[in-house]
Amino acid sequence: MVNQAQILVVAPYEGMYHLINQIQIEKKLENIKVVMGDLELGLEAAFNEIKNGEYDLIISRGGTAELLINETSIPILEIPITTTDVMQALKLSENYNGQVAIVGYKSISSKAEQVCELMNWHPAIFTVDSKNEVEKVVDKLKKDGYSLVIGDVITTSYCKKVGLDSILISSSKDTLESTLMQAKILTNSLHNSRVLHKLCFEDHSNSNHEEYTLVYNRSGNLLVSSIPVDKVQPVLLEYLNTHFLEFLELYYSRKDINIEKLHISLLTKQVNTGDRVYLVVRVKIIDTLKSTFPGLTIYDKNLLRTNYPSSINFFGEIRKVLQQSQHQNLPILITGETFTGKTSCINYLFSHGKFSNNLLYVFDCAKLTIEVWYEILTAINIKNLQNEVLCFLNLQSASLSVLSEIKSLLEMPSLKETNQFLFTYTKESNPEIALSEVTELLFTIEDSVIINLPSLRDRQQDLNNLITIHLNNLNSKYGKNVVGFEDRALDIIYSYTWPGNLKQFKRVLKKAVMATHGYYVSESSLKHILMEEEMYGYEFTLEEEKGKNCINLDQYLNDIIYDIIETTLQSCEMNQKKTAEKLGISRSTVWRILKNGKQR
């Protein structure tokens, strides 16, 4: 029995979900349940909770709140979108290279107009009042050449679907905390006591998939299981035991995994009976995978999205080429250094292509032997496939025998014309086979598309866009409010050579955002993170350092000496003793020259 009124929060995006859970812990709010879902998914999540428990108030935001108002009799408290929330999103877009528009309901557009007028900003602003209108406006913006759209979850979700960049207007922690405190006052006036009902998953008797339930106690002991022994029980139980604490920490989670021949969807939820906590695991067997061969993985659209969230990471000409190629049947070869975004391009081409509702066969040539290839041909009968996508990764590691087999597929008109062929080649120092040999063997200019992805160090013009997009993603995922980098930190971003390309860039940005408690990443924090990159084999060197030894001689002698000492000091990590030793002068001389400064 719990003597508190019960509040249900429907968080439309992941960052809000985590922030509200954090506020719950900090404020010791035990009467609040948080579920995650936007629009119809949010409505479904709410109904699943409502039918199994009595709630006095539901909290949500934007379009999800409007749906709940129309579909339930329980009072709805809407999380307001504040001027600060809108300003943060606009500030994040400030350095984006491309046309920017704001699309949202009146609560967003009116505040955007106020902020833009105050800051003398001039993005296009569109007011909508339905999901259909959002889609029409976004479609027109894409046609008119806009590349970045700011809005709520409805808007940003549709932008991702059509291949536009977007920034989510997220709610700050202060706004959420204020709303929860207001909700607590409202609900306490409605009820003094109530029973905490057992929480459970939706009934699945009408499901088209095989579904089973497992129940664990808080110590991780399995109490009840309905899953048959022949349904990968030992392997599945090992997986659940390994990730038990991770699932227990999350009130609700959804995860897709591949175990042996099965694609399995796991739904986990805590069940609180008042004095005990249980972890209920719903196992849904979605699809039996056709592949058990090393070097071959078969995806459908949903499984690919789960394992490799789509993000192009490219702008300008390369994005145009990808968009033009997505509906063609020509073989497409994507080349580039390690971690330059080749897999993201494959994901995009499949997810947005005309065969996206069918299967993606991914062959990893680094693992594919000719013996395995012949087994695959026998089991799947590749030569008779139609309307599928065949992707061959890592051609640089392919044997000549495997390449010859691939060539024979491309020489079959019926197969080539009815399926999409995608390829990747990673440029490395000692490939098994040179790129020139691969292209000569498999491709011709007339009937193929070759996309060369530049390294990140050669994409200076894209850095602002990449920072904007990935900061927005990180803010949304982790409930942060970082809008950019301090000027000197931004200089480091531009000057760093990024030897690990996009993978390193994303890792560094994630660490920087997680270490930042304000709006801007500091220079010292970024330097510390980049120095930690040595554990991955990446030395912290900046492009600008190549020219730092070129002292400007067209100035006073004392200023030349000052520049020499300052440059050496920076190379010695600001250690004056090491600087003095390196230059063969006394420490007091270093201190005196730096103290006097330059003759400006």
Side-chain angles (χ1 to χ4, degrees):
M1 303 292 288
V2 179
N3 297 320
Q4 294 187 61
Q6 296 302 297
I7 300 170
L8 176 65
V9 181
V10 182
Y13 60 92
E14 188 177 1
M16 181 184 289
Y17 176 89
H18 292 309
L19 270 180
I20 292 175
N21 278 321
Q22 182 182 339
I23 295 169
Q24 276 188 274
I25 295 171
E26 292 174 355
K27 300 297 180 181
K28 298 180 180 179
L29 302 174
E30 299 177 354
N31 63 327
I32 296 176
K33 174 66 190 298
V34 190
V35 296
M36 192 168 70
D38 181 44
L39 298 176
E40 289 80 7
L41 290 178
L43 191 64
E44 180 183 355
F47 282 160
N48 289 334
E49 290 300 323
I50 292 169
K51 71 182 181 183
N52 295 307
E54 297 179 10
Y55 289 93
D56 303 289
L57 186 71
I58 300 177
I59 300 174
S60 194
R61 196 187 87 157
T64 307
E66 290 195 15
L67 279 177
L68 288 165
I69 290 172
N70 295 327
E71 298 293 336
T72 179
S73 59
I74 299 175
I76 308 297
L77 180 61
E78 185 171 358
I79 299 168
I81 294 177
T82 67
T83 302
T84 302
D85 297 335
V86 176
M87 183 176 289
Q88 177 191 325
L90 286 166
K91 186 67 178 176
L92 193 57
S93 71
E94 191 174 26
N95 294 320
Y96 186 88
N97 296 319
Q99 293 191 76
V100 180
I102 302 169
V103 178
Y105 287 79
K106 186 68 176 177
S107 59
I108 290 177
S109 61
S110 60
K111 287 185 173 61
E113 289 170 353
Q114 295 171 8
V115 171
C116 291
E117 183 179 357
L118 181 65
M119 304 301 294
N120 196 28
W121 291 336
H122 305 286
I125 301 175
F126 299 88
T127 303
V128 296
D129 56 18
S130 69
K131 182 180 178 182
N132 288 338
E133 195 171 352
V134 168
E135 294 178 358
K136 289 180 182 177
V137 171
V138 170
D139 286 340
K140 188 174 188 307
L141 288 172
K142 182 178 180 181
K143 185 178 179 181
D144 292 344
Y146 284 82
S147 53
L148 178 67
V149 178
I150 301 171
D152 60 9
V153 181
I154 303 175
T155 301
T156 55
S157 296
Y158 187 69
C159 285
K160 290 177 182 177
K161 184 177 179 181
V162 300
L164 282 180
D165 292 332
S166 61
I167 292 178
L168 172 67
I169 299 176
S170 56
S171 296
S172 67
K173 184 179 179 182
D174 289 342
T175 300
L176 296 176
E177 188 173 316
S178 174
T179 304
L180 290 177
M181 293 301 102
Q182 183 184 356
K184 186 176 180 181
I185 296 172
L186 288 173
T187 52
N188 285 339
S189 67
L190 297 172
H191 288 284
N192 293 321
S193 66
R194 58 179 286 100
V195 176
L196 179 63
H197 289 271
K198 182 180 179 181
L199 305 174
C200 64
F201 288 97
E202 64 271 24
D203 177 66
H204 55 277
S205 58
N206 296 322
S207 174
N208 294 323
H209 304 288
E210 298 175 68
E211 297 193 20
Y212 308 99
T213 301
L214 302 93
V215 180
Y216 291 80
N217 64 16
R218 197 164 190 170
S219 300
N221 299 314
L222 179 61
L223 304 179
V224 182
S225 172
S226 66
I227 189 167
V229 175
D230 61 346
K231 291 296 182 183
V232 295
Q233 187 179 23
V235 182
L236 177 61
L237 291 180
E238 182 181 351
Y239 179 87
L240 292 173
N241 289 336
T242 303
H243 297 273
F244 176 78
L245 292 178
E246 173 187 336
F247 290 137
L248 192 63
E249 289 176 358
L250 299 173
Y251 204 96
Y252 173 89
S253 73
R254 182 188 299 268
K255 190 177 185 69
D256 288 288
I257 60 173
N258 292 333
I259 292 182
E260 293 185 346
K261 297 181 181 181
L262 300 176
H263 172 210
I264 296 175
S265 177
L266 295 178
L267 301 176
T268 70
K269 182 182 287 185
Q270 285 186 25
V271 173
N272 192 328
T273 62
D275 59 341
R276 294 184 181 182
V277 174
Y278 300 95
L279 179 71
V280 177
V281 181
R282 176 64 48 79
V283 178
K284 181 188 293 185
I285 300 178
I286 296 177
D287 184 32
T288 301
L289 296 178
K290 298 178 181 179
S291 169
T292 57
F293 302 102
L296 171 60
T297 308
I298 303 174
Y299 297 97
D300 63 15
K301 192 179 207 176
N302 294 326
L303 183 58
L304 184 69
R305 187 183 299 118
T306 300
N307 289 272
Y308 300 101
S310 179
S311 178
I312 305 182
N313 295 309
F314 285 97
F315 312 92
E317 288 304 314
I318 291 180
R319 176 172 285 194
K320 288 180 183 177
V321 172
L322 286 170
Q323 291 172 340
Q324 291 167 359
S325 303
Q326 67 192 42
H327 296 298
Q328 296 180 6
N329 263 38
L330 294 177
I332 300 175
L333 171 64
I334 304 171
T335 72
E337 294 179 5
T338 305
F339 307 128
T340 46
K342 296 182 290 295
T343 303
S344 295
C345 290
I346 295 295
N347 186 356
Y348 177 84
L349 289 169
F350 172 67
S351 300
H352 293 80
K354 61 182 180 180
F355 300 140
S356 62
N357 292 323
N358 298 326
L359 295 177
L360 170 65
Y361 293 78
V362 178
F363 301 88
D364 187 350
C365 295
K367 303 175 182 177
L368 196 61
T369 64
I370 191 63
E371 292 78 15
V372 171
W373 176 257
Y374 288 141
E375 290 181 30
I376 292 172
L377 285 180
T378 303
I380 298 180
N381 199 1
I382 292 177
K383 295 180 180 180
N384 289 329
L385 292 179
Q386 287 190 345
N387 301 326
E388 309 287 8
V389 179
L390 285 75
C391 174
F392 294 86
L393 304 179
N394 298 314
L395 288 180
Q396 78 284 351
S397 300
S399 65
L400 286 174
S401 55
V402 169
L403 282 176
S404 297
E405 290 294 320
I406 297 172
K407 181 180 180 181
S408 68
L409 295 182
L410 291 172
E411 290 174 344
M412 297 175 61
S414 60
L415 187 65
K416 185 176 177 181
E417 292 170 6
T418 59
N419 298 277
Q420 173 76 68
F421 282 85
L422 305 175
F423 303 88
T424 72
Y425 183 100
T426 300
K427 298 176 181 177
E428 49 188 37
S429 55
N430 296 302
E432 292 290 330
I433 184 168
L435 177 59
S436 58
E437 294 180 67
V438 170
T439 54
E440 183 178 350
L441 183 66
L442 299 182
F443 307 102
T444 63
I445 297 176
E446 294 78 16
D447 65 352
S448 63
V449 176
I450 299 178
I451 302 174
N452 296 304
L453 301 183
S455 64
L456 193 54
R457 62 182 170 274
D458 295 326
R459 297 178 58 193
Q460 287 282 322
Q461 74 280 5
D462 289 343
L463 283 176
N464 283 337
N465 288 9
L466 287 168
I467 290 170
T468 299
I469 298 305
H470 289 295
L471 282 185
N472 173 66
N473 292 340
L474 291 166
N475 286 338
S476 300
K477 185 175 181 65
Y478 297 107
K480 306 290 281 188
N481 295 296
V482 178
V483 298
F485 290 76
E486 292 179 355
D487 288 344
R488 296 190 68 169
L490 201 57
D491 289 340
I492 294 174
I493 291 281
Y494 295 145
S495 301
Y496 187 60
T497 55
W498 298 108
N501 288 304
L502 286 170
K503 184 175 183 179
Q504 184 190 19
F505 178 81
K506 293 178 184 179
R507 180 173 61 242
V508 168
L509 253 65
K510 180 180 177 180
K511 288 183 178 180
V513 167
M514 299 306 290
T516 301
H517 301 291
Y519 292 112
Y520 293 92
V521 177
S522 68
E523 177 191 15
S524 59
S525 176
L526 183 60
K527 278 186 174 180
H528 177 74
I529 291 167
L530 286 173
M531 287 176 182
E532 289 180 340
E533 286 293 293
E534 291 183 3
M535 73 174 69
Y536 300 100
Y538 302 135
E539 186 180 354
F540 178 29
T541 57
L542 306 178
E543 283 287 349
E544 63 184 18
E545 289 181 355
K546 296 176 182 178
K548 278 186 176 179
N549 293 330
C550 300
I551 304 297
N552 177 18
L553 301 179
D554 190 19
Q555 55 182 331
Y556 294 113
L557 177 61
N558 287 342
D559 289 347
I560 294 174
I561 294 172
Y562 177 90
D563 284 348
I564 292 172
I565 291 178
E566 184 181 47
T567 300
T568 307
L569 181 66
Q570 290 180 7
S571 70
C572 293
E573 299 180 356
M574 310 308 289
N575 187 310
Q576 292 191 11
K577 182 180 179 182
K578 290 182 180 179
T579 301
E581 291 174 352
K582 192 170 184 178
L583 293 174
I585 58 179
S586 68
R587 188 175 176 182
S588 59
T589 300
V590 172
W591 178 84
R592 175 176 53 78
I593 292 173
L594 291 173
K595 180 176 179 293
N596 292 337
K598 298 179 72 171
Q599 300 177 17
R600 302 176 198 253

